[in-house]
């Protein structure tokens, strides 16, 4: 069993990153008709959490955020769809903690894994939204890429501008990006 010990400072930081994600995800530039949106860097706090504390804490924070998102803005068609559209894709943001020194690559990995979750959900549960005659896999890929790629690029720009090394200095015994 994996055990993660938090200091009070680390626990407060984790809670703040989840709350910041919740707030930033509400600052939408564009919202897709059946869900998904381009935000002003909504995933940045979860990515920071993963960079500073590793993939396990990043995934846990993402999971908690996913359930908050479910309570705030639910779109439910099936219990398995809930997993693939809420906790799992946000848990994927924790993958950025695997390679914290390579932010662009680790952020791309996290978003690619999130894309896969939404892509599977789109094929299995939302194929009926595809235009007549269109392959549901192509529809799902295009639909999800339409908002995830811009969101990824916005997060990369913001992460490039943030003083992540200075943030990491506040947690000296944790991994450093």
């Amino acid at each position: 069993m994996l055990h993660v010990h938090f200091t009070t400072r680390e626990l407060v930081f984790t809670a703040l990153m989840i709350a910041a994600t919740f707030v930033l995800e509400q600052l939408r530039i564009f919202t897709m008709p059946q869900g998904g949106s381009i935000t002003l860097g909504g995933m940045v706090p979860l990515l920071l959490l993963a960079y500073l504390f590793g993939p396990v804490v990043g995934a846990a924070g993402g999971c908690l955020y996913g359930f908050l998102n479910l309570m705030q803005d639910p779109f439910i068609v099936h219990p398995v769809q809930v997993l693939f559209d809420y906790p799992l894709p946000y848990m994927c943001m924790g993958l950025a903690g695997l390679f914290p020194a390579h932010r662009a690559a680790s952020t791309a990995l996290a978003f690619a894994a999130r894309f896969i979750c939404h892509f599977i959900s789109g094929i299995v549960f939302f194929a009926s939204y595809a235009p007549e005659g269109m392959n549901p896999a192509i529809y799902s890929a295009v639909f999800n890429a339409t908002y995830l790629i811009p969101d990824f690029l916005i997060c990369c720009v913001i992460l490039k501008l943030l003083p992540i090394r200075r943030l990491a200095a506040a947690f000296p015994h944790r991994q450093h990006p």
Side-chain angles (χ1 to χ4, degrees), residues 5 14 28 30-31 41 73-74 87 93 99 109 111 120 130 146 153:
H5 176 74
T14 300
R28 297 174 180 158
F30 179 77
T31 301
D73 197 15
M93 293 293 107
F99 311 106
L109 172 66
F111 270 89
I120 292 168
T146 300
L153 294 172

Side-chain angles (χ1 to χ4, degrees), residues 81-128:
Q81 169 263 329
V82 169
L83 290 174
F84 277 90
D85 280 337
Y86 293 97
L88 289 178
Y90 299 108
M91 286 175 72
C92 290
M93 293 293 107
L95 292 173
L98 291 173
F99 311 106
H102 305 283
R103 279 184 293 225
S106 63
T107 300
L109 172 66
F111 270 89
R114 179 178 170 198
F115 171 84
I116 290 168
C117 291
H118 291 305
F119 174 73
I120 292 168
S121 176
I123 292 171
V124 176
F125 300 105
F126 297 102
S128 63

Side-chain angles (χ1 to χ4, degrees), residues 24-40:
L24 288 172
E25 281 289 306
Q26 302 309 308
L27 302 176
R28 297 174 180 158
I29 298 169
F30 179 77
T31 301
M32 298 293 286
Q34 284 90 32
S37 56
I38 301 169
T39 67
L40 292 173

Side-chain angles (χ1 to χ4, degrees), residues 138-161:
I138 292 171
Y139 174 75
S140 182
V142 170
F143 180 88
N144 288 297
T146 300
Y147 71 92
L148 285 173
I149 291 173
D151 216 37
F152 161 71
L153 294 172
I154 291 167
C155 285
C156 284
V157 168
I158 292 170
L159 289 165
K160 188 75 173 163
L161 299 173

Side-chain angles (χ1 to χ4, degrees), residues 17-92:
M17 291 300 97
I18 294 168
T21 300
F22 191 77
V23 170
L24 288 172
E25 281 289 306
Q26 302 309 308
L27 302 176
R28 297 174 180 158
I29 298 169
F30 179 77
T31 301
M32 298 293 286
Q34 284 90 32
S37 56
I38 301 169
T39 67
L40 292 173
M43 292 293 107
V44 168
L46 290 181
L47 293 164
L48 286 174
L49 191 62
Y51 294 150
L52 296 175
F53 296 98
V56 173
V57 174
C63 182
L64 290 171
Y65 169 73
F67 283 115
L68 285 173
N69 186 303
L70 174 62
M71 288 188 283
Q72 173 72 21
D73 197 15
F75 192 92
I76 301 170
V77 297
H78 190 275
V80 176
Q81 169 263 329
V82 169
L83 290 174
F84 277 90
D85 280 337
Y86 293 97
L88 289 178
Y90 299 108
M91 286 175 72
C92 290

